[in-house]
Amino acid sequence: MSNEKRSFGNLIKNYGIVFVLIVVILFFGIANPSFATASNFITILTQVSVVCICSLGMMFVLLTGGIDLSVGWIISSVGMISAYCMVNLQMNVFASCLLAVAFALLVGLVEGLLIAKLKIPPFIVTMAFMNILKGFSFLMTSGKSIYGIPDSFKVIGQGKIGEIPIPVIIMFAAIFITWVIVSKTYFGRYFYAVGGNEQATRLSGVNTDMVKILTYVISAGFACLAGLVQMSRIATGAPNNGDGYEFDVITACCLGGVSMSGGSGKVYQVFVGAMIIAVLNNGLIILHVNTYIQLVLKGVILLLAVAYDCVQKNRA
Amino acid sequence: MEPILEYRNVSKAFPGVQALSDVSVNFMPGEVHALVGENGAGKSTLIKMLTGVNVPDQGEIYYNGSTYKSFNPKMSRKLGLGVMYQELSLVNELSVAENIFLGNEPRKNRFLLDRKKMEEESQRVFADLGVNLKPDALVGTLSVGYQQMVELCRAVVEEAKVLVLDEPTAPLSSNEVEILFRFIRTVKKKGITIIYISHRLDEIFEITDRITVLRDGKVITTKNTEEFSRDELIHCMVGRKLTEIYEPREGVSGGEVVLETRNLSGNGVKNISLKAYRGEILGLGGLVGAGRTEFAELLYGHKKRDSGEMYLNGKLFSPQNPGQAQRAGVVLVPEDRKQQGLLLDMTVKYNQSLPIVKQLSRYAILNEKEETKLANYYCDNLGIKTPSLKQKVKNLSGGNQQKVVIAKGLASEPELIIIDEPTRGVDVGAKRELYHLMNQMIEQGKTIIMISSDMEELLGMSDRIAVFCEGRLTGTLGKNEFDAEVILKYASSENVAEGETYEQ
């Protein structure tokens, strides 16, 4: 429909997920007065930053029709590498971070090459890397956590500019950069095109293998950024820092409306999806809901989000 | 004798096309009856009515004592109407016997499979039909010919009375064709009717008893096979004047060579040497699967060549991927616009600009104003009818979709455009517009290589025609030598000799 009316129905259809977020916020706000305070919102934004940054990277992979299960353990291994360099090896903070970034990008590159060139299913490649990186994270210190992170590094996760925590600023910067890439640059088009119809895209003269490889490098890069923020926030290099993050990240993307079959998804949707999870986490804790019930709820929400996506697809 | 199956005054229209008009044809028990005609003559439309894919607008189908307005797949299977499409519907991981009895397995009791009985039954059927198959062999390990045989045996086991074979020999080797023919002769004696669709005239004369010729959705004639001569049959299939939808155009074959291939092999084509001249439409004729599309894929760098060279404007040209070919000035408008040409869920503008978004960008940032301007230019110029540039391509008609694919191709300002089946699934009006567009491209000094299985189009649009058969170039015709019968002759296998190619 080219001239869709701006009716309320269409607004709900197109921005339904935003309304879900508003409803969830209203619910917790009414249920508990200590939820709807400025300081709690800043807390939520800080809490969401790691998942959101990582989800932005995941969005690129999902747009091309792939999936990246390794992000959680990239977060862990990147934290361990940088902590190990800073503390155990007494390396310069900047150099330590750079090393961690190089490591993550290399992992993404290898994943991408295996997926695009050898045509191994993304699910398998990234699941294998999930295990490799998990083992690697624990092997580094035989499973011990690394304490004594230098103060200069703690700023990334704990510092503030005015009232705004630095992780929140990093998150919005990442959102902005992602938005520019996907909606303003020419190669942003390629991610959607590969997910929409890979063969037609290749026949249009686009190097589709390169696009696919790039998405895993980008995903690993964003996961690395998320990992550094995470490690700095808790000021500890713990091997299981990022355990289970892949689940929250994929849920955030799905919930927001990024299609699991590729070709569609917007940056704001990823942010809103991540926010819903964070608000639920925060609100349920404030309401003293059992952690295991929270897990059940998250699983149900993921199913509902994907079911909605599938129903929409079948109708089209 | 009563016919087993009869179409009575059947008509069917699709948007923009009268696919069948008032078709009446009958099929006798135990006969092998050929349906022949060009692409788009209505053969598949007719056959697809037997499985309910198409429902007649008018008329009825008589079958085995009753008349029907329409069928559905389950019903036709039950009634004994077996339609074999080119894609086989077998499970590779199961054995021959398991495939034959799939969904219909003999059981010892309510739950347990009677494997022994299944294999014995299969063995009995194979012996009966003279087929050399092992019931316990895995289907995936068989050659295509034997897989086809499994599917045919399944139909016989399910007591089919009519078997439709749609281009059954296309994937077969000549040995396998012999085995198939032996099978056909055996089941024929059992009173089973075979409807045989093929472009290969040799086979039709060898195996069929009667022939029905379809053209433009009408039955031209039905006669016993021995009453036809080869030339007469070709004449019936093609025989019409080229109408005024082809504008006269001054071809300039013989000038500057734009593209030349020398002994190009790979991707299923062998030893192709041909030239395309600036400002001409070089038509590639031949049967479906003759290697024309495969040849085009080599030119466009979509598939890798094994040996031989390509030259573009006299310079060695060896594109590793479509992107390189495009930058060198060669584009391909692919055969299957939905699978290969378009992003159906994206907008008209998005599709059009995809090949050139990089060129429209500065510091990687896409200039959307330029993009819109260009999209508008192509929409006006090519006459793409769309309510807006933001319309999703899947909502456009076939003809307009095809124009979007062409616009995509033109966007990178190529010198050589390869168009694979330019008007497939497009109505007559849009056809004329597409031909007009191709003529315009020629006037602008571009060169077109057109692959077409539509004889009329091939003769009407080309300046020269190169004919392919089984991966080889079997002949090249200049405009004054154009003759449908000669082309069909070159396109049929008898002219293929090992290592032989012709160029003018």
Side-chain angles (χ1 to χ4, degrees):
Chain A
M1 297 298 116
S2 58
N3 46 356
E4 262 174 40
K5 273 182 242 146
R6 293 187 166 231
S7 67
F8 188 66
N10 273 326
L11 209 63
I12 290 275
K13 201 177 141 205
N14 293 332
Y15 296 99
I17 201 63
V18 178
F19 287 91
V20 172
L21 178 59
I22 293 170
V23 168
V24 174
I25 290 174
L26 284 177
F27 170 77
F28 285 116
I30 294 164
N32 192 325
S34 62
F35 175 83
T37 58
S39 74
N40 192 39
F41 276 121
I42 288 186
T43 309
I44 292 175
L45 283 174
T46 318
Q47 283 167 348
V48 82
S49 57
V50 173
V51 168
C52 183
I53 292 168
C54 202
S55 304
L56 293 168
M58 181 69 77
M59 184 181 79
F60 286 95
V61 177
L62 294 177
L63 282 181
T64 59
I67 195 160
D68 187 353
L69 299 176
S70 65
V71 289
W73 289 97
I74 290 180
I75 290 177
S76 290
S77 55
V78 155
M80 286 303 284
I81 289 175
S82 53
Y84 191 84
C85 291
M86 285 174 212
V87 179
N88 298 31
L89 301 180
Q90 292 290 318
M91 277 168 66
N92 170 293
V93 167
F94 184 71
S96 307
C97 293
L98 217 59
L99 206 69
V101 172
F103 173 80
L105 296 182
L106 183 70
V107 167
L109 181 68
V110 174
E111 285 178 338
L113 284 169
L114 290 171
I115 289 161
K117 294 293 178 191
L118 296 189
K119 320 246 181 267
I120 308 176
F123 185 88
I124 301 297
V125 170
T126 59
M127 190 165 68
F129 266 93
M130 187 173 154
N131 282 319
I132 292 168
L133 295 172
K134 182 175 181 177
F136 175 80
S137 304
F138 280 96
L139 281 174
M140 278 189 74
T141 57
S142 316
K144 290 191 204 67
S145 295
I146 302 170
Y147 302 101
I149 303 298
D151 287 344
S152 55
F153 184 70
K154 286 186 196 162
V155 174
I156 296 178
Q158 301 176 8
K160 284 183 180 183
I161 294 179
E163 280 302 303
I164 318 241
I166 289 180
V168 177
I169 294 170
I170 293 178
M171 173 178 75
F172 281 115
I175 288 174
F176 177 74
I177 290 168
T178 308
W179 175 77
V180 169
I181 292 176
V182 297
S183 46
K184 292 289 149 190
T185 67
Y186 73 87
F187 53 89
R189 292 283 173 98
Y190 295 165
F191 300 113
Y192 292 91
V194 168
N197 183 343
E198 187 177 336
Q199 205 188 0
T201 307
R202 184 174 140 81
L203 288 172
S204 302
V206 177
N207 188 340
T208 50
D209 281 354
M210 188 71 94
V211 174
K212 284 204 270 184
I213 293 168
L214 194 59
T215 61
Y216 291 93
V217 174
I218 293 174
S219 176
F222 275 97
C224 175
L225 182 60
L228 292 174
V229 171
Q230 164 83 336
M231 201 275 275
S232 170
R233 270 187 66 205
I234 56 175
T236 310
N240 58 353
N241 253 354
D243 188 13
Y245 264 85
E246 64 282 343
F247 182 79
D248 279 359
V249 163
I250 293 169
T251 309
C253 288
C254 259
L255 201 55
V258 179
S259 166
M260 292 304 275
S261 45
S264 73
K266 295 194 173 100
V267 179
Y268 86 87
Q269 295 177 323
V270 172
F271 174 69
V272 173
M275 277 301 284
I276 291 175
I277 294 176
V279 167
L280 279 172
N281 277 340
N282 180 285
L284 292 172
I285 289 168
I286 288 181
L287 291 181
H288 303 295
V289 174
N290 182 310
T291 344
Y292 300 115
I293 295 180
Q294 291 184 30
L295 274 179
V296 173
L297 276 176
K298 274 202 253 176
V300 170
I301 287 166
L302 176 63
L303 279 179
L304 287 177
V306 178
Y308 179 77
D309 181 41
C310 290
V311 170
Q312 287 279 341
K313 275 254 157 60
N314 290 340
R315 254 185 228 161
Chain B
M1 203 162 32
E2 272 273 292
I4 176 92
L5 172 72
E6 189 175 357
Y7 286 81
R8 294 177 180 161
N9 309 97
V10 171
S11 295
K12 174 76 190 172
F14 293 115
V17 191
Q18 185 70 34
L20 291 176
S21 39
D22 201 25
V23 168
S24 296
V25 51
N26 63 51
F27 301 91
M28 292 299 178
E31 76 167 342
V32 181
H33 192 137
L35 279 185
V36 299
E38 291 183 285
N39 291 324
K43 293 169 301 189
S44 342
T45 313
L46 201 64
I47 288 315
K48 283 179 178 163
M49 285 176 174
L50 294 182
T51 51
V53 177
N54 294 328
V55 173
D57 296 337
Q58 275 157 25
E60 56 186 20
I61 299 169
Y62 166 88
Y63 172 71
N64 200 21
S66 322
T67 54
Y68 300 87
K69 286 279 178 210
S70 69
F71 292 91
N72 64 51
K74 210 172 163 185
M75 178 174 143
S76 34
R77 205 167 156 178
K78 222 178 184 170
L79 288 170
L81 283 163
V83 181
M84 309 287 131
Y85 294 109
Q86 287 182 39
E87 308 81 37
L88 300 173
S89 54
L90 296 172
V91 185
N92 283 341
E93 291 74 18
L94 294 182
S95 76
V96 169
E98 283 166 332
N99 266 288
I100 287 182
F101 288 98
L102 195 62
N104 189 20
E105 293 88 351
R107 277 177 273 191
K108 285 182 186 160
N109 54 40
R110 210 172 147 75
F111 298 105
L112 289 180
L113 188 68
D114 192 345
R115 188 173 294 274
K116 203 170 156 215
K117 188 177 171 205
M118 195 159 84
E119 297 198 346
E120 281 169 3
E121 273 294 299
S122 315
Q123 193 62 64
R124 199 183 55 72
V125 173
F126 297 155
D128 191 26
L129 297 175
V131 179
N132 183 19
L133 270 173
K134 281 207 186 86
D136 58 348
L138 279 188
V139 163
T141 63
L142 302 177
S143 70
V144 186
Y146 279 105
Q147 290 185 357
Q148 200 180 52
M149 212 49 73
V150 173
E151 188 143 338
L152 290 169
C153 288
R154 180 161 80 191
V156 173
V157 168
E158 287 172 358
E159 299 184 329
K161 295 186 184 65
V162 176
L163 273 176
V164 183
L165 307 183
D166 188 358
E167 294 281 353
T169 57
L172 301 188
S173 68
S174 49
N175 254 339
E176 290 171 326
V177 172
E178 269 319 303
I179 296 171
L180 175 71
F181 282 5
R182 217 164 52 217
F183 176 89
I184 290 177
R185 291 190 185 106
T186 314
V187 295
K188 189 175 129 176
K189 287 197 198 108
K190 296 182 177 301
I192 295 176
T193 305
I194 310 270
I195 302 178
Y196 193 91
I197 299 175
S198 179
H199 284 291
R200 301 187 178 177
L201 301 185
D202 309 353
E203 292 174 2
I204 286 169
F205 280 104
E206 183 179 343
I207 195 75
T208 66
D209 304 313
R210 278 204 298 164
I211 301 175
T212 294
V213 182
L214 286 170
R215 195 203 304 151
D216 294 334
K218 295 188 189 80
V219 173
I220 300 303
T221 177
T222 300
K223 275 202 274 187
N224 288 336
T225 304
E226 63 266 19
E227 292 169 40
F228 270 113
S229 74
R230 205 188 166 84
D231 289 341
E232 194 186 343
L233 183 60
I234 292 174
H235 184 77
C236 279
M237 285 165 67
V238 183
R240 59 182 146 172
K241 302 267 180 306
L242 302 187
T243 53
E244 69 276 22
I245 72 171
Y246 302 99
E247 305 159 18
R249 172 169 44 79
E250 276 306 306
V252 284
S253 294
E256 183 191 346
V257 176
V258 173
L259 178 97
E260 184 181 357
T261 67
R262 286 185 202 157
N263 302 319
L264 190 65
S265 296
N267 195 28
V269 303
K270 295 165 212 115
N271 233 3
I272 306 288
S273 299
L274 57 72
K275 291 177 180 146
Y277 298 97
R278 186 172 303 286
E280 74 166 350
I281 295 182
L282 172 64
L284 301 188
L287 304 179
V288 173
R292 298 168 299 166
T293 300
E294 290 73 10
F295 174 66
E297 285 172 346
L298 291 179
L299 297 185
Y300 194 48
H302 184 41
K303 294 281 161 62
K304 294 234 158 22
R305 69 179 199 281
D306 296 337
S307 62
E309 291 105 47
M310 298 182 263
Y311 296 87
L312 189 67
N313 292 321
K315 274 180 284 188
L316 199 63
F317 171 60
S318 58
Q320 299 299 306
N321 54 50
Q324 282 185 14
Q326 204 177 77
R327 285 188 288 280
V330 177
V331 297
L332 172 71
V333 175
E335 179 179 11
D336 183 342
R337 59 179 166 266
K338 288 186 176 156
Q339 296 295 324
Q340 304 174 308
L342 295 168
L343 302 164
L344 291 170
D345 281 319
M346 307 289 183
T347 65
V348 172
K349 182 166 82 166
Y350 201 108
N351 270 282
Q352 269 177 5
S353 60
L354 186 63
I356 49 154
V357 280
K358 193 173 180 181
Q359 286 85 311
L360 292 173
S361 304
R362 203 159 161 229
Y363 307 122
I365 301 294
L366 181 63
N367 185 340
E368 289 186 48
K369 264 189 203 150
E370 240 354 85
E371 188 197 7
T372 307
K373 215 165 94 184
L374 212 70
N376 272 321
Y377 170 80
Y378 280 113
C379 273
D380 292 348
N381 232 309
L382 272 59
I384 298 171
K385 291 181 205 80
T386 170
S388 98
L389 293 178
K390 288 185 182 153
Q391 176 77 302
K392 283 186 181 170
V393 180
K394 67 175 173 195
N395 297 329
L396 299 183
S397 72
N400 281 308
Q401 285 182 351
Q402 184 69 359
K403 285 184 196 165
V404 174
V405 185
I406 291 177
K408 264 179 72 184
L410 291 178
S412 60
E413 298 184 355
E415 263 189 283
L416 174 67
I417 304 152
I418 308 161
I419 308 187
D420 197 350
E421 303 291 355
T423 60
R424 176 169 290 178
V426 153
D427 64 57
V428 180
K431 244 183 191 177
R432 191 190 317 226
E433 287 175 28
L434 286 165
Y435 294 146
H436 182 70
L437 269 175
M438 287 166 69
N439 286 336
Q440 274 182 338
M441 294 178 211
I442 292 300
E443 273 164 33
Q444 290 158 10
K446 298 186 192 300
T447 306
I448 296 177
I449 294 181
M450 178 188 76
I451 299 172
S452 177
S453 300
D454 180 340
M455 185 59 80
E456 190 181 316
E457 175 174 284
L458 195 63
L459 295 172
M461 288 303 294
S462 310
D463 295 305
R464 283 189 312 138
I465 296 175
V467 187
F468 280 59
C469 178
E470 296 180 0
R472 295 174 191 281
L473 181 66
T474 48
T476 310
L477 288 80
K479 193 138 204 164
N480 50 359
E481 304 165 286
F482 280 9
D483 183 341
E485 300 179 20
V486 174
I487 292 171
L488 277 180
K489 232 175 236 166
Y490 278 134
S492 60
S493 52
E494 67 201 62
N495 288 290
V496 184
E498 202 61 35
E500 215 175 341
T501 54
Y502 304 85
E503 167 77 354
Q504 301 222 281

